[in-house]
Amino acid sequence: MTYPYIVWLALFVVAPMLMIVFYAFTNAGNDMLVFKFTLENFTRFFQDPDFLRVLYTSLKIAFITTIICVLIGYPTAYVIAKQDENKQAVYILLLTLPMWINMLVRTYAWKGILMNFNISSEFKVFVGMVYNFLPYMIIQIYTSLAKMDKNLLDASYDLGANKMQTFLRVVLPLSIPGVISGITLVFLPAVSSFFIPKLLGGGDYVLIGNLIETYFITTGDWNFGSAISLIMAIIIIVSMYFTKKIDKRIGEE
Amino acid sequence: MRKLIEFRNIVKSFDNQVVLKGINLNVYENEFVTLLGPSGCGKSTLLRILGGFLQQDEGTIIFDGQCIDDVPAYKREINTVFQRYALFPHLDVFDNIAFGLRIKKVAEDVIDQKVTRMLSLVNLEGYEHRNVTLLSGGQQQRVAIARALVNEPEVLLLDEPLGALDLKLRQEMQRELKRIQQEVGITFIYVTHDQEEALTMSDKIVVMRDGEIQQIGTPLEIYNEPANEYVAKFIGESNIIEGVMVEDYKVKFDDKIFDCEDFGFKENEPVDVLIRPEDIKIVGRTGALMKGEVKSVLFKGVHYEIIVETISGASKTVTMHILSEHDTYNAAENEKISANDFFVDLEDVNALDDFNLVARANAQAWDDEENNLSIASITHNIENKVGTYDCTFKTQKNTEITIKVHVVAPVYVEDAKKNIGISAFDFFVTADEVKESMAISTDLKTWASAEAWNLQDDSEIEITDVKFDFDTADIEEGSYEITFATQGREYKIETTTVHEEGDKVGLKFDRNDIHVMSKMVV
């Protein structure tokens, strides 16, 4: 029964990844069929301060986007989770409604709106990022708040905790797993997003996603593009590893 | 004893449905009070109002001389053990128990001491740093109790705390809870629907029904002198018989007058009489207060539960005629047809349309491949008076069979004393139909159109007894008697001596085992 899945995984997940790894460690030889194994793509990336600056900016943008999403998303999710059950469904529907429209189209719409304001391109990128990724954060936190046993709140009041103490000692710790998965869902796409900075930030705003796009599509240097992709993938894997660890530590506490 | 809590006329409704209809109740210091009743009787609601999680619509709660209606839950000197424990999953056993103390900013070394003492009170030493979600139900229960008690409340509320545990653990926890209550010496208010639990642990039981208190009393009072039929039924297995209080100390039921110890009723007041199953003794037929026949014997582990019928129900006996195969075979068309003679009540003749004739006669036809054929025409000369008539069923290709329809005068028995009417008809079936029956009693009732009803209001009464004396597996042509009967007066008896079904026995009980209760006002 599992064979179709294995075939599917092999074809659409493992094979492309292996190809990226393969490209990243090779350079096109003289002949079409000859490949040369090399680490040159990586040394080139890490020796060029411009590339490192792009990496830094990407991480910074993704990080700040995530923080803003948590700060806006948590209170929103909390308020929604406090409503009657049928109202909650309506709010969640309204929240996800824009997602029925293609992300690219929505970003173009923002481009049109933001054109009228005299603000920095960095700010425009933040607006686009937060707008696009906020629902993921809200839904994750909302889910963890909504499935919380309401008796736990009564138990906390019963033991003498007032509303604030109950929030800090019961609600917040129990919603941390939701926050963590929200962070994962926002940070990962934010760090590799390329069309939001491209559309809203204009040409002068290059993030690592744009860099990969350029090397694959404009320059046609698939090897270097693959190397950047691989570096990105490693950064993502490492950050996921750490969030998992934090999640686990909080779970144990 | 000091009065600790006073509920004054508590009223509460949800969505226009009144769940508490004016509850008045006093709870004293160090009492183990149980609110007992089926789900939906309002017992949990009352507890949640006391805990401060719900606000009553009307009425007042006085706690230790103070009105606490406007005191929020977190300021009440009351702690609760919740139905599903509601332990904090992100905290270990120690931190769960310490939760309330930390809120009160108690010094850590004091917390250490208190939590350790609580853990030993609930027999969970060494479990301090276990994950609460990995504990068994019984252990979670103990943590929940410790978490509540560590705050040294004046009252502990327990909302069906043992509901999720299995029987053995539940009994263990019942003893445990009683021990803890006696040891810490505070008031426990316990909510349950389990009468055994209530009887085992409580000092005082409050029986509730539909938002009203039915009776307040000690377990012994509630058991021995239930206020009414509802309490009696809820609190244990019982025989409840309609009776009449002839005069003080004399009650009449089952057509006899018995001496009893109850008084203060009106002369000839209709009452309910309760006799507990364990208070009835089975004795020989001489010197017995009642005579009856053993209807069923059920082994219940420690004792036998024996049902004795003292007065039989209304009954009607009919004859079942077993016929030989009576298919008609039409060789020319290769078709078969069959139908049975039947009896019909004069009153029902008018209702005999074609559809009914086919059904009552069970008329069926087949072709050579056993496919069912429809009955194309029916001819008969049935008249609306008593007699025997011919009825002929025909298929499309003129394969036919003729049966007899017996129109008879109504044949029901009225039992005026028991207020029951019962009717059933003689009937014809083939041996195969009996042999193929999956549920013979039900089929016999259908074939005989047996039914019973209340003579006063025409409501249907179940026919519980179908008696016959043949073996369905190898029945042959002939006539058989079948008796249909409604349920008679039955007594449930608990005894350790075994009796056989059908034994003729006598019953005996003492005058103080007869408990007379007022009729319930519905």
Side-chain angles (χ1 to χ4, degrees), chain A residues 21-42 221 223-224:
Chain A
V21 173
F22 177 76
Y23 271 109
F25 285 102
T26 55
N27 262 346
N30 301 331
D31 201 305
M32 283 295 283
L33 289 171
V34 179
F35 294 97
K36 198 174 80 196
F37 282 88
T38 174
L39 287 176
E40 197 185 297
N41 293 326
F42 294 93
D221 186 351
N223 303 91
F224 190 57

Side-chain angles (χ1 to χ4, degrees), chain B residues 479-495:
Chain B
S479 299
Y480 300 87
E481 297 233 302
I482 297 163
T483 302
F484 299 96
T486 60
Q487 193 172 44
R489 160 75 63 229
E490 293 182 343
Y491 285 88
K492 193 180 279 177
I493 298 156
E494 279 176 15
T495 169

Side-chain angles (χ1 to χ4, degrees), chain A residues 162-233:
Chain A
N162 60 26
K163 287 204 161 158
M164 196 61 206
Q165 287 166 321
T166 300
F167 177 77
L168 290 176
R169 287 168 183 264
V170 180
V171 180
L172 190 62
L174 284 174
S175 59
I176 289 297
V179 177
I180 298 280
S181 52
I183 288 174
T184 318
L185 281 184
V186 172
F187 184 77
L188 300 188
V191 82
S192 59
S193 153
F194 69 93
F195 66 82
I196 296 172
K198 190 173 174 184
L199 288 182
L200 296 176
D204 53 336
Y205 210 80
V206 178
L207 292 188
I208 199 143
N210 307 95
L211 211 58
I212 296 170
E213 190 209 4
T214 311
Y215 277 97
F216 270 97
I217 294 180
T218 319
T219 322
D221 186 351
W222 285 31
N223 303 91
F224 190 57
S226 296
I228 306 173
S229 301
L230 200 60
I231 291 165
M232 274 280 304

Side-chain angles (χ1 to χ4, degrees), chain B residues 34 41 91 130 134 186 237 275 279 302 361 411 425 455 491:
Chain B
T34 300
C41 73
L91 301 176
R130 296 285 190 94
L134 301 179
I186 61 166
E237 299 272 350
I275 306 175
D279 290 337
V302 190
V411 282
F425 292 92
L455 287 178
Y491 285 88

Side-chain angles (χ1 to χ4, degrees), chain A residues 97-161:
Chain A
L97 209 58
M99 287 159 107
W100 297 4
I101 298 164
N102 187 297
M103 199 189 250
L104 200 61
V105 175
R106 281 180 286 148
T107 310
Y108 265 112
W110 271 111
K111 189 179 178 179
I113 295 167
L114 293 174
M115 215 162 56
N116 305 319
F117 298 94
N118 185 20
I119 40 176
S120 73
S121 45
E122 189 177 60
F123 189 79
K124 288 179 182 169
V125 173
F126 276 130
V127 170
M129 292 276 224
V130 169
Y131 170 78
N132 272 315
F133 299 126
L134 186 61
Y136 299 108
M137 181 66 81
I138 295 176
I139 286 168
Q140 289 304 313
I141 299 174
Y142 162 77
T143 309
S144 73
L145 287 172
K147 74 177 182 200
M148 197 178 296
D149 182 1
K150 297 288 172 288
N151 281 322
L152 293 179
L153 306 185
D154 279 348
S156 173
Y157 299 141
D158 185 76
L159 294 167

Side-chain angles (χ1 to χ4, degrees), chain B residues 411-520:
Chain B
V411 282
Y412 60 85
V413 180
E414 278 190 11
D415 193 326
K417 209 160 119 197
K418 293 183 196 115
N419 203 11
I420 296 172
I422 183 165
S423 85
F425 292 92
D426 294 354
F427 61 96
F428 300 90
V429 285
T430 63
D432 277 350
E433 280 172 301
V434 174
K435 284 176 191 163
E436 283 163 15
S437 168
M438 306 279 280
I440 188 70
S441 291
T442 309
D443 281 346
L444 289 172
K445 274 192 247 177
T446 313
W447 291 331
S449 307
E451 52 192 358
W453 60 94
N454 186 318
L455 287 178
Q456 245 158 27
D457 58 12
D458 265 354
S459 63
E460 199 190 323
I461 293 173
E462 201 189 345
I463 291 175
T464 50
D465 216 1
V466 180
K467 276 192 212 126
F468 52 86
D469 190 19
F470 55 84
D471 189 351
T472 53
D474 44 39
I475 192 156
E476 288 170 355
E477 270 174 64
S479 299
Y480 300 87
E481 297 233 302
I482 297 163
T483 302
F484 299 96
T486 60
Q487 193 172 44
R489 160 75 63 229
E490 293 182 343
Y491 285 88
K492 193 180 279 177
I493 298 156
E494 279 176 15
T495 169
T496 45
T497 46
V498 68
H499 292 265
E500 293 286 325
E501 256 173 63
D503 278 2
K504 308 275 187 214
V505 295
L507 301 182
K508 214 177 154 183
F509 39 84
D510 293 337
R511 58 179 288 172
N512 58 7
D513 291 328
I514 300 174
H515 306 292
V516 179
M517 309 176 291
S518 308
K519 281 272 183 196
M520 274 177 76

Side-chain angles (χ1 to χ4, degrees), chain A residues 149-163 165-166 168-171 173-174 250-253, chain B residues 48 51 53 73-74 78-80 82 84 86-91 96 99-100 102-105 147-148 151:
Chain A
D149 182 1
K150 297 288 172 288
N151 281 322
L152 293 179
L153 306 185
D154 279 348
S156 173
Y157 299 141
D158 185 76
L159 294 167
N162 60 26
K163 287 204 161 158
Q165 287 166 321
T166 300
L168 290 176
R169 287 168 183 264
V170 180
V171 180
L174 284 174
I250 288 165
E252 276 163 6
E253 257 169 23
Chain B
R48 292 178 63 77
F53 309 116
Y74 69 93
I78 295 172
N79 286 113
T80 310
F82 291 87
R84 297 232 155 254
L87 298 180
F88 302 121
H90 61 297
L91 301 176
N96 258 284
F99 189 92
R102 293 209 169 117
I103 294 286
K104 291 190 195 98
K105 305 244 169 10
R147 184 179 70 174
N151 302 290

Side-chain angles (χ1 to χ4, degrees), chain B residues 20-283:
Chain B
L20 292 176
K21 299 172 183 167
I23 298 289
N24 289 294
L25 176 66
N26 293 329
V27 177
Y28 296 87
E29 219 176 14
N30 302 350
E31 254 189 334
F32 195 122
V33 180
T34 300
L35 305 180
L36 175 66
S39 54
C41 73
K43 56 193 193 304
S44 287
T45 308
L46 190 62
L47 199 75
R48 292 178 63 77
I49 288 174
L50 179 58
F53 309 116
L54 282 177
Q55 185 69 39
Q56 67 269 30
D57 300 338
E58 282 173 45
T60 300
I61 301 175
I62 310 291
F63 184 90
D64 214 0
Q66 308 267 317
C67 167
I68 56 163
D69 295 343
D70 299 322
V71 179
Y74 69 93
K75 283 189 184 157
R76 296 190 182 187
E77 275 187 70
I78 295 172
N79 286 113
T80 310
V81 175
F82 291 87
Q83 208 163 32
R84 297 232 155 254
Y85 323 133
L87 298 180
F88 302 121
H90 61 297
L91 301 176
D92 65 12
V93 172
F94 186 97
D95 291 336
N96 258 284
I97 299 173
F99 189 92
L101 299 175
R102 293 209 169 117
I103 294 286
K104 291 190 195 98
K105 305 244 169 10
V106 176
E108 275 300 317
D109 56 322
V110 180
I111 291 180
D112 248 346
Q113 260 175 31
K114 289 195 170 186
V115 171
T116 311
R117 216 167 53 225
M118 273 305 137
L119 281 170
S120 72
L121 179 71
V122 298
N123 286 328
L124 278 182
E125 294 102 330
Y127 280 73
E128 285 85 347
H129 298 297
R130 296 285 190 94
N131 180 340
V132 290
T133 55
L134 301 179
L135 296 180
S136 72
Q139 290 165 339
Q140 290 192 22
Q141 183 60 73
R142 287 160 199 265
V143 176
I145 293 165
R147 184 179 70 174
L149 284 177
V150 78
N151 302 290
E152 292 161 20
E154 294 229 37
V155 183
L156 184 69
L157 310 183
L158 301 105
D159 189 3
E160 306 226 10
L162 308 184
L165 306 181
D166 63 53
L167 181 66
K168 195 163 172 288
L169 204 55
R170 206 155 63 217
Q171 289 170 341
E172 200 182 306
M173 283 304 294
Q174 284 170 18
R175 279 193 294 275
E176 192 81 2
L177 272 173
K178 188 69 194 164
R179 175 187 67 79
I180 291 170
Q181 192 253 342
Q182 282 163 348
E183 211 173 315
V184 296
I186 61 166
T187 305
F188 274 37
I189 301 182
Y190 191 95
V191 160
T192 185
H193 62 267
D194 184 327
Q195 37 88 12
E196 191 203 314
E197 226 165 81
L199 293 172
T200 319
M201 296 190 288
S202 322
D203 298 320
K204 185 154 101 186
I205 295 177
V206 179
V207 185
M208 290 181 67
R209 172 184 186 242
D210 294 341
E212 285 175 313
I213 293 178
Q214 297 289 311
Q215 190 174 6
I216 303 175
T218 65
L220 221 57
E221 282 166 4
I222 299 262
Y223 189 83
N224 283 334
E225 295 298 332
N228 55 36
E229 184 187 350
Y230 175 82
V231 177
K233 276 188 179 159
F234 201 82
I235 210 76
E237 299 272 350
S238 27
N239 298 297
I240 293 166
I241 313 117
E242 289 188 359
V244 172
M245 201 68 190
V246 182
E247 56 188 76
D248 282 354
Y249 310 111
K250 294 246 183 275
V251 62
K252 182 179 171 191
F253 58 92
D254 278 14
D255 304 328
K256 270 186 201 158
I257 294 176
F258 295 90
D259 290 330
C260 66
E261 304 201 319
D262 298 271
F263 58 93
F265 294 87
K266 278 186 278 204
E267 243 174 63
N268 289 321
E269 181 183 333
V271 290
D272 282 320
V273 177
L274 162 79
I275 306 175
R276 294 279 176 200
E278 66 273 20
D279 290 337
I280 304 178
K281 283 157 220 62
I282 296 183
V283 294

